[in-house]
Amino acid sequence: MTREQYILATQQNNLPRAENAQLYPVGIYGWRKRCLYFFVLLLLVTMIVNLAMTIWILKVMNFTVDGMGNLRVTKKGIRLEGISEFLLPLYVKEIHSRKDSPLVLQSDRNVTVNARNHMGQLTGQLTVGTEGAVFGHSVETPHIRAEPSQDLRLESPTRSLIMEAPRGVQVSAAAGDFKATCRKELHLQSTEGEIFLNADTIRLGNLPTGSFSSSPSSSNAQQTVYELCVCPNGKLYLSPAGVGSTCQSSSNICLWS
């Protein structure tokens, strides 16, 4: 045994030993352990409930790779089938229905469709309510038709109603009467053509008539045949018919207008 080994052996034998050495266990014990297990169990239950709810929502909303429910995302846009409800404004470029199927827009109140330009300004508006359709600006359409057994009415409550077409405007009533009434004046104007009235009977009521008497003694004679005369301002009136034209003899009627 070397000297160094002897010194180390003697020093180890002389070291004091603790008789009551305390041992500290490693880990979580007691109420801390029970709380940890409880939180782990609660987390596991929450994850299971979330997973079940997610699967249920996916099944109810009919989520697929192409979309959800009646909504399908295609290369050409969005395709919506069936009945759908929109709670917020809908902004689309075009709306088409299925082939050979109508497109129905339904609301508890009015249905309003707005058209705006690139500046956001309103250029056209269509409002459908209980009294019909109201257009905010001009309307271009090839056909206007009312429902069966219903009257078609075009009305402008505060302004004029203008119908224009480059090849003419035709209004016809194949199975009934055509009536045009106004509160003030009715103007029929043709700048390059003529006004043609074609009917079996043409009646002009409430026209002023002239007076005719061959002599003072026969002032009570009844006149049954009249001549239709036209004033320079376009006013029409009836004048008693004679051998020649009698329009000039009753020209004072034109001065009353």
Side-chain angles (χ1 to χ4, degrees):
M1 180 180 297
T2 60
R3 183 177 179 181
E4 290 80 5
Q5 294 177 351
Y6 176 76
I7 294 172
L8 291 175
T10 54
Q11 288 180 355
Q12 291 178 358
N13 294 330
N14 295 329
L15 290 175
R17 295 182 178 180
E19 297 180 356
N20 298 326
Q22 296 181 359
L23 300 177
Y24 296 96
V26 179
I28 301 175
Y29 297 94
W31 64 271
R32 295 184 180 86
K33 184 177 181 180
R34 290 191 293 270
C35 291
L36 180 60
Y37 287 163
F38 173 76
F39 285 121
V40 172
L41 181 61
L42 181 61
L43 180 60
L44 181 61
V45 172
T46 304
M47 292 177 59
I48 295 175
V49 172
N50 289 337
L51 181 61
M53 291 294 292
T54 303
I55 296 175
W56 178 76
I57 292 174
L58 292 176
K59 185 177 181 181
V60 171
M61 300 299 294
N62 194 13
F63 277 97
T64 60
V65 179
D66 298 329
M68 56 174 289
N70 298 327
L71 185 64
R72 295 290 182 270
V73 180
T74 62
K75 295 180 179 179
K76 297 182 179 180
I78 297 177
R79 181 177 180 180
L80 186 61
E81 299 179 356
I83 300 175
S84 301
E85 181 179 358
F86 299 93
L87 301 178
L88 296 176
L90 176 64
Y91 300 93
V92 295
K93 183 178 180 180
E94 294 181 0
I95 298 178
H96 298 279
S97 63
R98 292 181 298 179
K99 188 177 181 180
D100 299 332
S101 297
L103 178 63
V104 179
L105 300 177
Q106 184 175 358
S107 174
D108 294 337
R109 298 184 180 179
N110 297 339
V111 176
T112 302
V113 180
N114 295 332
R116 299 181 182 274
N117 55 13
H118 64 282
M119 299 294 294
Q121 299 175 351
L122 185 64
T123 58
Q125 186 179 56
L126 168 64
T127 302
V128 182
T130 57
E131 298 180 357
V134 180
F135 299 94
H137 294 76
S138 59
V139 180
E140 297 181 6
T141 176
H143 188 201
I144 298 178
R145 180 180 61 87
E147 293 294 333
S149 302
Q150 298 292 332
D151 297 333
L152 177 62
R153 183 175 182 180
L154 301 178
E155 181 182 2
S156 179
T158 58
R159 292 294 186 270
S160 302
L161 180 61
I162 301 175
M163 292 186 293
E164 297 179 355
R167 296 187 179 182
V169 177
Q170 181 179 359
V171 180
S172 63
D177 299 335
F178 173 74
K179 297 181 180 180
T181 59
C182 62
R183 183 177 180 181
K184 293 183 178 180
E185 298 178 356
L186 176 63
H187 297 273
L188 298 177
Q189 182 180 1
S190 177
T191 56
E192 297 181 0
E194 61 181 3
I195 298 176
F196 180 68
L197 301 177
N198 184 11
D200 295 337
T201 302
I202 297 177
R203 298 180 180 179
L204 300 176
N206 299 326
L207 291 179
T209 59
S211 60
F212 171 77
S213 61
S214 58
S215 62
S217 60
S218 60
S219 59
N220 296 328
Q222 298 292 331
Q223 178 69 27
T224 58
V225 180
Y226 294 91
E227 181 182 1
L228 181 63
C229 301
V230 182
C231 296
N233 59 0
K235 185 177 180 179
L236 301 178
Y237 68 95
L238 296 179
S239 176
V243 178
S245 177
T246 59
C247 291
Q248 297 298 327
S249 61
S250 300
S251 61
N252 56 346
I253 297 178
C254 297
L255 300 178
W256 300 345
S257 59

